[in-house]
Amino acid sequence: GWTPEEFFALGLQEIDEVIDHLDMLELRGEARINALDFGCGIGRLTQALATYYDRAFGCDISEEMIKLANRHNRYGRRVMYLQNVESLMDTFSRDYFDLIYSRITLQHMPASLQRGYVAEFVKLLAPEGLAVFQIPEGPEYSHPKPWLSMHGVTRGMVEGWVDEAGG
């Protein structure tokens, strides 16, 4: 029931709150060049990231979401969308992103895929870069449509994945 303006305003509000929190904790480095919205959908958060970073990239597994994101892109070449099928490392180089943000995405993947993407996040971060992502601890939920299933993992598992990847 939202208008496009309302929908994108909610994305800006979310990113404003995240950036304010990171800045309050003095966690963001000086570089504000490249940001990644992993699991971007139609780009609501990707476009909001473009208000803080020179370039914002959104990736999603859904070709249809990428088409919609491009249709709603209000930032021209500063915002780019791509379909991610397997590995982010096939598209981006190490140390590329100053911020990687992912919310309500990783939980829809089995733990083995979550682990792989968390490792890629660490490798793709610039030296002072920061990954902000959310994975609930549970409960597990199987849905007839697999992409709607929920796969929680413990905080300890995620911390172990980050350590393994060198983060």
Side-chain angles (χ1 to χ4, degrees):
W2 295 307
T3 67
E5 291 76 23
E6 292 168 331
F7 184 70
F8 284 95
L10 288 172
L12 185 56
Q13 179 183 348
E14 178 176 331
I15 293 301
D16 285 348
E17 291 171 4
V18 169
I19 295 296
D20 286 350
H21 188 72
L22 296 176
D23 288 347
M24 181 193 69
L25 297 173
E26 298 179 1
L27 291 175
R28 282 197 314 154
E30 292 298 317
R32 307 288 198 304
I33 301 169
N34 295 313
L36 172 67
D37 174 13
F38 181 75
C40 69
I42 69 167
R44 178 174 66 101
L45 301 176
T46 314
Q47 291 189 51
L49 287 168
T51 65
Y52 290 95
Y53 292 85
D54 295 342
R55 287 184 302 267
F57 296 83
C59 71
D60 200 283
I61 195 168
S62 168
E63 182 178 0
E64 185 61 28
M65 289 293 109
I66 296 302
K67 286 178 185 176
L68 288 169
N70 279 313
R71 192 175 310 145
H72 289 283
N73 185 358
R74 301 168 183 196
Y75 288 86
R77 293 183 177 167
R78 289 190 53 224
V79 171
M80 295 174 42
Y81 296 103
L82 59 114
Q83 185 179 9
N84 182 56
V85 179
E86 296 203 19
S87 173
L88 296 169
M89 300 297 290
D90 292 340
T91 305
F92 301 104
S93 59
R94 286 181 174 268
D95 304 333
Y96 192 78
F97 289 106
D98 302 299
L99 178 72
I100 297 174
Y101 187 73
S102 183
R103 184 168 168 267
I104 312 174
T105 300
L106 294 170
Q107 67 204 31
H108 295 293
M109 304 174 190
S112 61
L113 290 176
Q114 292 176 19
R115 179 182 185 182
Y117 280 116
V118 168
E120 285 192 328
F121 292 172
V122 171
K123 292 173 187 168
L124 290 170
L125 287 173
E128 291 187 18
L130 185 64
V132 177
F133 57 91
Q134 158 267 349
I135 308 173
E137 289 195 62
E140 290 286 320
Y141 171 72
S142 290
H143 191 277
K145 296 177 181 177
W147 61 89
L148 294 176
S149 293
M150 298 282 284
H151 305 276
V153 296
T154 67
R155 180 184 181 113
M157 287 176 70
V158 175
E159 289 172 347
W161 299 341
V162 171
D163 288 343
E164 280 176 7

